[in-house]
């Protein structure tokens, strides 16, 4: 066996290894069977080769089982989220088609959010919506003014400017948003 061969080689070289070293070598060998690591210990008999094959096969089965469980869990989560999103879209469509008041829609969505059925999503930015890059300059300017002005209107200067010169405020909103992107 490789153990007696190793002991013989070391005795010839005048090296005496402890039992801890031999166990550590065996453990190192076992780990290299499951990983891409290398090891200078190789099987030297049919029994050792059979044990190596068994160990490699066991590692393959355990690794495949683990990957299978992770894949199954991810598929289950994806299916559950898909169904939840489908139901949410159907609810939103129903509320829109039935012309439910915005106050009641907000109450319904808040209730569902409190139970985790609806999650609060991060607000999209203009840069994340590629379709907006296709809009003509005039429409894009109007969109940017409408989305940016509520923040600017908190300041009295911009409120007064909007009353007297709406086009300048629209240009400020457009330029500011363009520079942020």
């Amino acid at each position: 066996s490789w153990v007696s061969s190793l002991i013989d080689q070391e005795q010839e070289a005048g090296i005496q290894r402890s039992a801890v070293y031999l166990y550590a070598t065996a453990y190192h060998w076992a780990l290299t069977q499951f990983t891409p690591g290398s090891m200078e210990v190789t099987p030297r008999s049919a029994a050792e080769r059979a044990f190596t094959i068994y160990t490699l096969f066991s590692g393959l089965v355990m690794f495949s089982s683990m990957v299978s469980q992770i894949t199954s869990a991810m598929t289950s989560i994806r299916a559950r989220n898909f169904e939840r999103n489908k139901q949410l879209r159907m609810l939103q469509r129903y509320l829109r088609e039935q012309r439910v008041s915005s106050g009641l829609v907000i109450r319904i969505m808040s209730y569902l959010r409190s139970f985790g059925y609806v999650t609060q999503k991060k607000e999209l930015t203009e840069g994340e919506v590629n379709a907006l890059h296709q809009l003509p300059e005039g429409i894009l300017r109007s969109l940017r003014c409408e989305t940016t002005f509520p923040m600017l209107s908190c300041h009295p200067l911009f409120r007064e400017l909007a009353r007297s010169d709406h086009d300048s405020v629209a240009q400020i909103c457009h330029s500011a948003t363009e520079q942020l992107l």
Side-chain angles (χ1 to χ4, degrees):
S1 79
W2 69 269
V3 175
S4 39
S5 173
L6 181 64
I7 291 172
D8 291 343
Q9 289 174 2
E10 289 178 348
Q11 283 179 349
E12 288 175 11
I15 301 170
Q16 183 65 32
R17 302 286 186 187
S18 68
V20 172
Y21 175 81
L22 295 175
Y23 278 108
T25 302
Y27 186 67
H28 181 194
W29 174 84
L31 287 176
T32 61
Q33 301 309 300
F34 297 107
T35 64
S38 63
M39 181 68 181
E40 69 274 0
V41 177
T42 57
R44 296 177 189 240
S45 67
E48 289 177 356
R49 187 154 311 274
F51 181 74
T52 301
I53 291 170
Y54 172 77
T55 305
L56 288 170
F57 185 72
S58 298
L60 177 67
V61 168
M62 284 189 275
F63 180 74
S64 299
S65 175
M66 183 180 68
V67 169
S68 172
Q69 288 177 354
I70 291 171
T71 303
S72 176
M74 293 297 293
T75 302
S76 173
I77 290 169
R78 184 172 286 142
R80 189 175 16 159
N81 286 342
F82 176 79
E83 184 59 32
R84 181 184 299 176
N85 289 338
K86 179 182 169 188
Q87 290 298 319
L88 184 59
R89 283 191 308 273
M90 287 174 58
L91 171 65
Q92 290 170 335
R93 179 179 167 200
Y94 173 81
L95 295 172
R96 189 175 50 251
E97 288 175 357
Q98 299 302 315
R99 293 180 177 86
V100 175
S101 69
S102 59
L104 183 55
V105 169
I106 291 171
R107 285 178 46 207
I108 291 170
M109 297 308 278
S110 292
Y111 178 81
L112 293 174
R113 192 174 294 117
S114 70
F115 287 101
Y117 192 80
V118 178
T119 56
Q120 189 72 27
K121 294 183 180 173
K122 178 181 88 72
E123 198 172 89
L124 285 175
T125 64
E126 182 181 318
E128 295 172 312
V129 183
N130 291 332
L132 294 177
H133 301 294
Q134 306 303 316
L135 295 176
E137 182 87 13
I139 295 175
L140 190 56
R141 180 184 309 268
S142 298
L143 173 67
R144 287 177 174 168
C145 182
E146 196 167 306
T147 57
T148 310
F149 185 69
M151 289 181 282
L152 294 177
S153 67
C154 295
H155 195 281
L157 172 69
F158 291 109
R159 274 196 310 266
E160 283 302 314
L161 185 59
R163 286 188 192 121
S164 62
D165 189 7
H166 183 72
D167 289 340
S168 295
V169 172
Q171 181 59 39
I172 291 169
C173 292
H174 178 67
S175 299
T177 305
E178 198 168 52
Q179 288 178 7
L180 287 174
L181 299 175

